[in-house]
Amino acid sequence: MYEVKNLLALKILQKAREFGDNDLSNELLITQMLNHTPQTLNQSDTKNLNEFITTLINAKERAKMSNK
């Protein structure tokens, strides 16, 4: 039979491919992220998470620039 797919995940996957974003090119990852139940974070955790994500984004940008 046919497998039921998450339409929102497929739309995100399609847009990721259009924009060449390899980070969001994994349907299983997108589906898991959409199905995840978020937990509330305290202010300290939020600050630490923001710093971590910013560091990852900056590292990715530096890596892209070093490949040119």
Side-chain angles (χ1 to χ4, degrees), residues 1 5 7 10 13-15 19 21 24-26 31 35 41 45 53-54 57 59 61 63 65:
M1 292 306 279
K5 300 258 183 173
L7 185 59
L10 294 176
L13 184 62
Q14 179 183 8
K15 288 296 179 185
F19 290 105
D21 189 337
L24 292 177
S25 295
N26 184 329
T31 302
N35 291 336
L41 300 175
D45 289 339
I53 291 172
T54 302
I57 292 170
E61 292 300 318
M65 293 176 74

Side-chain angles (χ1 to χ4, degrees), residues 1-65:
M1 292 306 279
Y2 295 103
E3 180 182 351
V4 177
K5 300 258 183 173
N6 184 331
L7 185 59
L8 181 57
L10 294 176
K11 286 182 179 181
I12 292 171
L13 184 62
Q14 179 183 8
K15 288 296 179 185
R17 288 181 180 151
E18 285 178 21
F19 290 105
D21 189 337
N22 293 330
D23 295 336
L24 292 177
S25 295
N26 184 329
E27 183 181 347
L28 180 61
L29 175 64
I30 294 170
T31 302
Q32 287 176 344
M33 288 174 19
L34 291 173
N35 291 336
H36 177 70
T37 305
Q39 299 177 358
T40 57
L41 300 175
N42 63 35
Q43 192 172 12
S44 174
D45 289 339
T46 302
K47 182 178 179 248
N48 290 338
L49 185 59
N50 285 337
E51 290 174 1
F52 177 72
I53 291 172
T54 302
T55 302
L56 285 177
I57 292 170
N58 291 338
K60 180 179 176 182
E61 292 300 318
R62 285 193 301 272
K64 280 183 183 179
M65 293 176 74

